[in-house]
Amino acid sequence: MAAQSIPPSDALRVLVADDEPHIRRLLTTVLGNAAFRVDEAVDGREALERFESGTGYDCVILDLMMPGASGLEVLTRIREHPERGNTPVVMLTAKGREADRQAAYEGGADDFLTKPFSPRKLISRIQEIVAER
């Protein structure tokens, strides 16, 4: 396995919150190889702690169903944050029902992708969403 290069200090910083270890590893590898700086959270509670820690994230990727706090609960807290409430959020979930998609968009998600996902599409959407801000 090739060594992953260290992203430049001006690289986009992304918080990945997913309770499935293999999905977190996949996202971290894919985003890291695309020169993103990636922090991981194993559940909704850790995602909130990391987001509220003062680290400025350019984007947050949330699984819909996580222990501690659901992706929708985390999204609500992000949108309520006084300084960083407009941080882009992408919901990435195995739950692709229209009701889930609608709830995510109504909660303020910038995009909603279902698993399995295209790494290229995810990277492209993150870059597009961040560029719009």
Side-chain angles (χ1 to χ4, degrees):
M1 183 192 257
Q4 188 172 314
S5 62
I6 298 173
S9 61
D10 63 346
L12 295 178
R13 183 174 213 116
V14 178
L15 174 60
V16 171
D18 198 305
D19 59 317
E20 297 179 46
H22 65 283
I23 297 292
R24 276 196 322 277
R25 271 193 308 275
L26 174 64
L27 287 166
T28 298
T29 299
V30 164
L31 294 172
N33 288 340
F36 289 88
R37 291 182 294 158
V38 182
D39 292 338
E40 299 178 21
V42 301
D43 59 25
R45 186 178 354 241
E46 185 178 0
L48 286 170
E49 288 171 3
R50 287 185 172 274
F51 184 80
E52 294 172 351
S53 72
T55 300
Y57 290 103
D58 296 296
C59 186
V60 178
I61 299 173
L62 297 173
D63 185 16
L64 194 58
M65 300 206 33
M66 294 184 289
S70 74
L72 291 176
E73 291 170 321
V74 175
L75 175 61
T76 297
R77 294 279 298 277
I78 288 172
R79 292 296 174 244
E80 292 172 348
H81 195 280
E83 289 93 34
R84 295 185 305 279
N86 67 339
T87 301
V89 175
V90 174
M91 301 299 289
L92 182 65
T93 181
K95 290 187 67 165
R97 296 181 336 187
E98 187 56 35
D100 297 319
R101 180 180 303 274
Q102 184 174 348
Y105 283 125
E106 287 176 359
D110 293 275
D111 207 347
F112 185 97
L113 302 174
T114 56
K115 299 173 190 173
F117 62 95
S118 159
R120 184 174 293 152
K121 181 177 180 180
L122 175 63
I123 290 166
S124 174
R125 286 302 297 143
I126 292 170
Q127 291 169 332
E128 290 170 14
I129 292 165
V130 170
E132 292 171 0
R133 296 288 167 135

